Amino acid sequence: MTTATKYDRRIYAIMNDRAAAPMYATATRRRAVIGAHLLLTVAGFTAWATTIFSDARWPLFAMLAVLPLWTVATGVINGATRGLLELRTRMLDERQLAERDRVHAGAHRITGALLLLGAVGVGAAGWFGDVRVEGLAAPVLFAALTVHLLMPLWVAGLRIQDDPAED
């Protein structure tokens, strides 16, 4: 059995710090944070795509404005899940490992369905819309990668149960 490193203990302490617990204490608050995280992700992605595929530079500043808010929302979700996806395997118990497996499986199913919809959408745009799909490849692939990386975080945040009421 591997022992916890100093890094493991530090990340565990950060992920289990209850100082921000009021931000994610209820399911409604967690859903609001996840919704805000989703919207901030879309805003950042849109700003990035606009910067890459046009000559405009203002979206770069919009992306830089969104990044700190997105980072805080990510931290709140990680705190709500107590680091379920961030902690190394050796720092999780059997129940947490099983929950992480369920989260990854659910996220995989959702991401697979979204990839199918994206492929059908790009194909339909090329077939029926007379659109050059080569121009859609980069943003669609980047969006798919973004969703693939963030979906487990969103699913984990939605699956977390409220803490039991104190007696």
Side-chain angles (χ1 to χ4, degrees):
M1 180 171 169
T2 313
T3 60
T5 65
K6 183 178 177 182
Y7 172 80
D8 290 331
R9 289 187 299 274
R10 178 72 181 134
I11 294 299
Y12 183 85
I14 290 169
M15 294 296 168
N16 287 280
D17 183 2
R18 305 305 293 161
M23 295 178 78
Y24 53 78
T26 65
T28 303
R29 290 180 187 169
R30 287 189 300 276
R31 284 189 209 110
V33 170
I34 292 166
H37 193 267
L38 183 73
L39 291 175
L40 290 166
T41 301
V42 169
F45 175 81
T46 303
W48 169 83
T50 303
T51 301
I52 297 300
F53 298 107
S54 75
D55 292 333
R57 292 293 164 225
W58 65 265
L60 178 63
F61 298 106
M63 191 169 58
L64 291 174
V66 164
L67 186 60
L69 300 170
W70 183 88
T71 303
V72 169
T74 301
V76 170
I77 298 169
N78 278 328
T81 65
R82 292 191 170 91
L84 184 70
L85 301 171
E86 298 302 320
L87 293 172
R88 294 180 184 175
T89 301
R90 64 176 159 242
M91 296 301 292
L92 301 175
D93 61 25
E94 293 83 14
R95 180 193 54 79
Q96 292 167 317
L97 290 171
E99 179 63 18
R100 184 162 63 179
D101 287 345
R102 284 190 293 272
V103 163
H104 280 125
H108 179 74
R109 284 190 294 275
I110 294 168
T111 303
L114 291 174
L115 284 171
L116 177 63
L117 290 172
V120 168
V122 168
W127 188 266
F128 300 114
D130 197 29
V131 174
R132 292 182 50 103
V133 294
E134 295 85 10
L136 295 175
V140 168
L141 286 174
F142 189 75
L145 176 64
T146 302
V147 169
H148 170 73
L149 293 174
L150 293 175
M151 188 60 69
L153 181 66
W154 296 332
V155 170
L158 292 172
R159 288 183 55 93
I160 294 300
Q161 301 296 314
D162 290 344
D163 288 334
E166 294 184 26
D167 291 335

